[in-house]
Amino acid sequence: MDSALVCQDIGLLRRGWDGSQRAVLKNVNAVFRSGQAAIISGLTGAGKSTLLNILAGLLRPSQGQVLADNLPVSRWNAAHRDRWRRKVGIVFQHPRLLNQLTVMENVILPLIPRIGSMARLRRHGYEALEKSGISHLAGQTAHTLSGGEQQRVAIARAIAAQPEILIADEPTAHQDEAGAAAIIRLFTEWKHPGAIAIVAAHDARLLGYGRFADRHFELADGCLKELK
């Protein structure tokens, strides 16, 4: 059976400074299947990043649940969610690199608890950098990189462990045309039978790339709907 990541009636409330509550997400239902790529679009502030954080196990919903292969991962305690999250590669909207480390060190750092051999770590790191088109930057320190280069390092870090689920928040936001094309190509190639790709974006280059996304969702007023 194909694996799937499922939202069941996901809702999230945020409390304001005056104690009032605002619904950021309302009864979100969706099924993301392996071998498919999905784009979630929506205006800035629509809740796309919040939904991705819930899907990645970084944030608990106020209601509903996230199922991974029929397991209620959003209900698990932090330790169990942390172990499951090893199957998830996350590209944050901001790269969150360690500025004094090299590009290679930033990419392999999350793998150290799982891969003891330095040779294997470097092999995984180099393969990820090569797929991201930045292997030539491996020895450069992160603080010397441009914003677009830092974003591609973050993508390499996310794919280095060959995750089953790849979640990316605005991955082309700081890219020129060549960088955006390379990232689109990488995500297109990521669509294989064992992997799920979910990308939040309002970049027209991603939204208009017909061969990339199998499905397109729109998030507005806290509600998610699939566009046909």
Side-chain angles (χ1 to χ4, degrees):
M1 179 184 292
D2 291 341
S3 60
L5 191 64
V6 180
C7 293
Q8 286 188 342
D9 297 319
I10 293 293
L12 186 81
L13 297 174
R14 284 231 171 97
R15 190 177 297 278
W17 62 270
D18 59 353
S20 62
Q21 289 189 325
R22 179 175 67 90
V24 179
L25 299 173
K26 307 171 187 173
N27 299 106
V28 171
N29 289 281
V31 179
F32 304 99
R33 299 192 182 280
S34 64
Q36 292 186 340
I39 284 184
I40 301 173
S41 63
L43 298 175
T44 300
K48 300 188 300 295
S49 298
T50 299
L51 179 55
L52 292 190
N53 285 337
I54 290 173
L55 288 170
L58 298 171
L59 183 64
R60 279 183 184 271
S62 305
Q63 71 171 53
Q65 62 182 351
V66 175
L67 302 175
D69 298 334
N70 292 317
L71 299 174
V73 293
S74 61
R75 296 180 179 273
W76 289 351
N77 62 35
H80 281 84
R81 285 203 317 276
D82 285 347
R83 283 196 290 273
W84 169 76
R85 216 164 32 239
R86 294 181 181 183
K87 300 180 180 182
V88 183
I90 307 170
V91 182
F92 296 101
Q93 195 166 359
H94 304 288
R96 302 186 184 184
L97 304 181
L98 296 177
N99 284 332
Q100 299 309 313
L101 297 185
T102 66
V103 165
M104 176 65 80
E105 289 166 343
N106 268 284
V107 170
I108 66 175
L109 187 62
L111 299 178
I112 291 174
R114 295 176 250 176
I115 301 175
S117 161
M118 182 55 70
R120 285 184 62 209
L121 282 169
R122 289 192 172 277
R123 185 168 67 251
H124 277 266
Y126 184 79
E127 287 173 358
L129 289 171
E130 199 165 46
K131 287 178 181 176
S132 303
I134 51 170
S135 57
H136 60 288
L137 298 176
Q140 203 161 317
T141 51
H143 72 90
T144 66
L145 304 177
S146 69
E149 289 169 339
Q150 288 188 17
Q151 194 170 42
R152 290 168 77 176
V153 174
I155 292 170
R157 180 180 59 196
I159 67 172
Q162 300 174 336
E164 295 176 14
I165 302 168
L166 182 59
I167 293 175
D169 195 355
E170 303 287 358
T172 58
H174 304 293
Q175 299 298 320
D176 59 17
E177 291 302 319
I183 290 170
I184 291 169
R185 188 164 54 250
L186 186 154
F187 277 90
T188 303
E189 293 169 355
W190 198 261
K191 294 191 304 178
H192 57 78
I196 299 168
I198 305 170
V199 179
H202 60 253
D203 186 339
R205 294 172 298 186
L206 271 175
L207 299 178
Y209 195 81
R211 289 177 294 168
F212 165 60
D214 302 287
R215 301 166 72 195
H216 182 184
F217 295 85
E218 183 179 54
L219 187 61
D221 297 322
C223 300
L224 187 72
K225 66 177 180 179
E226 186 167 3
L227 305 179
K228 303 299 183 183

